[in-house]
Amino acid sequence: MTEGAGHLIFVVERDKHVRELLQVFLDAPGYTLQFFDDGEIALAQVWARRPQLVILEILVPKLDGLGLCRKIKLSPALSDTPVLVLSVLNAHDRARLAGADAFMLKPLDRHRLTATVQQLLSSPTSAAAAQEAHP
């Protein structure tokens, strides 16, 4: 059994190439990935399916990534769900204010991404998970 087996990860990203890259980076550890390109649909699915991690981009339609993060973190039923924000925007502080557990500036580094995902999945409620994952 692979190390990521059994972990459902939602990815909210509008860019097809970034989705493909995330698929490649996170496929090897064996995670189950579900992709969304719309924040409202992603939120409904977070409620319905309760993923172990949400990875999101800020710039998505209908409900932007920071709004989605806030809704997850303000819900008592969902607040323990770890959220990793990926963005081309230097928005670490805004992501933290929205409740994100980690932030990573694009372009993505495979090793940093997989290490951050593993950390968030192993201790989702840990204060240590709230980190800046970019240099």
Side-chain angles (χ1 to χ4, degrees):
M1 180 180 263
T2 60
E3 119 187 9
H7 289 290
L8 176 61
I9 299 174
F10 281 4
V11 178
V12 187
E13 170 63 62
R14 62 186 167 78
D15 186 313
K16 175 185 173 193
H17 300 292
V18 175
R19 288 193 307 263
E20 290 170 354
L21 188 63
L22 287 166
Q23 179 74 52
V24 169
F25 285 0
L26 296 175
D27 187 50
Y31 301 116
T32 300
L33 302 177
Q34 178 74 48
F35 293 92
F36 304 93
D37 58 7
D38 170 323
E40 286 182 354
I41 292 172
L43 180 61
Q45 288 299 306
V46 169
W47 272 103
R49 299 193 53 213
R50 307 293 170 101
Q52 283 74 48
L53 174 64
V54 176
I55 299 173
L56 57 85
E57 160 64 63
I58 293 173
L59 303 172
V60 292
K62 298 192 180 174
L63 175 61
D64 71 51
L66 295 179
L68 174 58
C69 182
R70 272 190 291 280
K71 287 184 179 284
I72 291 170
K73 292 303 184 173
L74 289 174
S75 167
L78 301 174
S79 64
D80 286 345
T81 305
V83 175
L84 167 58
V85 175
L86 309 175
S87 188
V88 296
L89 304 173
N90 189 3
H92 179 266
D93 291 338
R94 289 176 34 214
R96 184 174 297 209
L97 287 173
D101 297 285
F103 177 84
M104 188 172 294
L105 192 61
K106 293 178 183 178
L108 299 175
D109 174 271
R110 179 183 208 142
H111 300 292
R112 187 173 291 122
L113 175 68
T114 56
T116 301
V117 166
Q118 289 170 3
Q119 179 184 1
L120 290 170
L121 289 172
S122 67
S123 58
T125 59
S126 168
Q131 66 166 348
E132 183 171 348
H134 67 82

